[in-house]
Structure formats: C-alpha cells, structure tokens
Amino acid sequence: MNYLNINKQAWNNRTKIHMKSKFYDVESFKKGKSSLNKIELNQVGNVKDKSLLHLQCHFGQDTLSWARLGAKVTGVDLSSEAIKEANLLKESLGLEATFIESDVCAFGKDNKQQFDIVFTSYGVLSWLENLDDWAKTIANSLKAKAEFHMVEFHTFSDILSGYSYFPNNKPDIEEEGTYTENCDGSMSTIATWSHSISEVITALINAGLTIETFCEYAYSPYNCFENLEFVPNLGYQMLYEGQQVPLLYSIKARKLS
C-alpha cells in the first residue's frame, strides 16, 4: 500500500475545504492577519533577513506570515493542491516565497540548500512513518549553529482518544473527514503513525542536533479536538477527572557544527 499517495490525496481533498473555512480565514489573512501564535513567535524570535525552511507547510499561511516578518522563506508540502494554493496566495499578496511539492523525507534526500531556521508545527508528526529520516532532513537543512523549532500537539490527547502512545510498525488506516468547521461530511482514507515524545527527541539527537528547550502547554490555540473548553486570554483546555491534559509541546534544537 502506498501510504504517501493515500495521504497526498487526503490532503488534496482537505485543502479545497480548508481554503473556504473560517478556521483558516483566508480573507482576514489577505488583509494582514498573521496565522502564527504566541508560542512559536516567542520561541523563534526575530526572523528578519534569515532564511527559513517550513516543513509540512500546508497552503502556506504560516510560511507567508514568517515572510511578512522579514524571513526568506521556503515551504515544503506533500499536497499538490496545497502547493498550488500557496503559490496563488503568495502572488495575490506580492510576497517572496518558494514552495516545493514533496514528501519531507524525499525533499531531504535531494535538498542542497541550508537555512538559518527550520520550522514545523501543529499536527505534523503523525503523517510521518520514519522519524529518523525526518530528523536527518532537518539536520542536513540547517547551517552550522542554526536552529530547529517545532510546536506539536501533545500525544497525551491521542491516548485519551484511543490511539497508541508507543510507535507501531503499521499505521492506523482510517476513513476521516477534516477538522475545520465546514467539513462537508466527505471522507478520505488516511494513514497515520504514533510517535512517542522520546522517539522524537532521540531522532533529533541521533541526527546530530542538541536539544536546547522542551516545553509543554495546557492550552491549545485551536479548537480542533473534542471536549475542549475555551479559557479567555489562554486558549482551549481539556480536563480529565478535573485535571488539565497537556495539549501542546515545543522543541528548540540547534546544529552545533
């Protein structure tokens, strides 16, 4: 079974729905609203005149938000539909950006350019079968002393939804719609993999990166899971038996040489 093709088709289908959603709110984005959240803005810091590679960039809103802050950006995504929309979006805004249609690991094998920052965020890891190749892509794409930044949904919420925490050799194959409010009920086949936090960190270390910070968060900026409640000025939280469930974690790592 070709899992890449399965997921590519699913994300092609999703992109068409996402472009019209309130969740992504493309019209407000075109008027100048940033799609970036405080967590990644605070962690990544000043990007002016820095080269930034955004892995699994979807249709480019975050990539172009970094461009608006002065970064020289490149976005990579598996979905041909997403890359098409990313290019249309950059052209409509008059922004400079390079968008590449590719699986992350395949991109890593062909890419010769190195960047000041590699960035990825929110719901990316479950689509990857092999984190060792993913981490090598990151390490090989960084200049010496350069930084990798990731913000990801915490695996704890997956456990409560019945998914495995520990890695499996075989993916979960499901029929699923999408997470935006305008999901029309259409379903796509998807293949996803479980990755423990220790697997993520170990893959980055084995690729030659030094972990500088690891943080966990009780609040998500997105209302994209069941049983979340909004807390003003903080975001969305999940409670289990009255206690907060960790919803996000972030990693900053550096390539020392």
Side-chain angles (χ1 to χ4, degrees):
M1 187 177 292
N2 191 320
Y3 301 128
L4 282 178
N5 283 347
I6 288 173
N7 287 335
K8 181 174 184 174
Q9 184 57 54
W11 280 99
N12 283 345
N13 295 340
R14 287 181 170 195
T15 299
K16 297 172 185 177
I17 297 171
H18 292 177
M19 293 298 299
K20 301 176 182 179
S21 70
K22 294 179 182 177
F23 184 94
Y24 284 99
D25 194 4
V26 173
E27 288 309 308
S28 292
F29 181 78
K30 286 182 176 180
K31 293 176 182 177
K33 181 181 179 182
S34 175
S35 63
L36 298 168
N37 301 300
K38 288 183 180 179
I39 292 174
E40 53 265 32
L41 286 168
N42 290 339
Q43 179 172 308
V44 176
N46 184 13
V47 299
K48 185 172 176 56
D49 296 326
K50 293 182 180 180
S51 56
L52 184 149
L53 172 64
H54 182 187
L55 298 177
Q56 294 168 275
C57 67
H58 198 22
F59 63 90
Q61 281 186 312
D62 284 4
T63 320
L64 296 173
S65 290
W66 291 121
R68 282 171 165 166
L69 292 173
K72 301 171 184 177
V73 298
T74 299
V76 177
D77 199 88
L78 174 66
S79 166
S80 55
E81 188 71 21
I83 293 299
K84 181 188 81 173
E85 294 293 349
N87 280 313
L88 290 173
L89 191 56
K90 80 166 184 183
E91 290 165 8
S92 71
L93 296 171
L95 293 171
E96 292 292 327
T98 300
F99 288 105
I100 299 169
E101 177 193 335
S102 179
D103 162 55
V104 168
C105 297
F107 168 81
K109 293 176 182 177
D110 296 332
N111 175 52
K112 304 301 181 186
Q113 186 177 354
Q114 292 187 314
F115 299 82
D116 298 309
I117 298 167
V118 175
F119 172 78
T120 192
S121 66
Y122 300 106
V124 290
L125 293 182
S126 64
W127 304 97
L128 302 173
E129 180 176 4
N130 188 319
L131 290 194
D132 288 331
D133 287 345
W134 166 79
K136 289 175 185 176
T137 293
I138 293 163
N140 292 339
S141 299
L142 286 170
K143 298 176 182 177
K145 312 298 183 183
E147 299 172 356
F148 168 63
H149 293 272
M150 181 177 76
V151 184
E152 180 58 297
F153 292 118
H154 205 289
T155 52
F156 203 101
S157 59
D158 290 333
I159 298 169
L160 296 181
S161 300
Y163 292 94
S164 172
Y165 175 71
F166 295 103
N168 292 323
N169 291 328
K170 294 183 179 179
D172 292 305
I173 308 293
E174 300 174 285
E175 295 292 320
E176 193 175 278
T178 190
Y179 47 84
T180 54
E181 85 294 333
N182 65 328
C183 179
D184 59 8
S186 60
M187 309 291 278
S188 298
T189 304
I190 61 170
T192 58
W193 289 264
S194 297
H195 299 295
S196 65
I197 292 176
S198 60
E199 183 191 7
V200 177
I201 291 175
T202 300
L204 293 170
I205 292 172
N206 287 343
L209 301 183
T210 297
I211 308 297
E212 294 193 342
T213 64
F214 171 80
C215 302
E216 296 173 283
Y217 305 89
Y219 299 97
S220 168
Y222 304 114
N223 184 19
C224 55
F225 300 116
E226 293 183 2
N227 303 317
L228 296 185
E229 61 179 52
F230 181 67
V231 180
N233 301 317
L234 292 172
Y236 296 90
Q237 70 173 359
M238 179 186 294
L239 298 179
Y240 179 73
E241 296 187 355
Q243 303 299 320
Q244 286 183 315
V245 172
L247 292 180
L248 302 176
Y249 69 96
S250 68
I251 292 174
K252 176 184 176 182
R254 189 179 301 274
K255 182 178 179 180
L256 296 181
S257 60

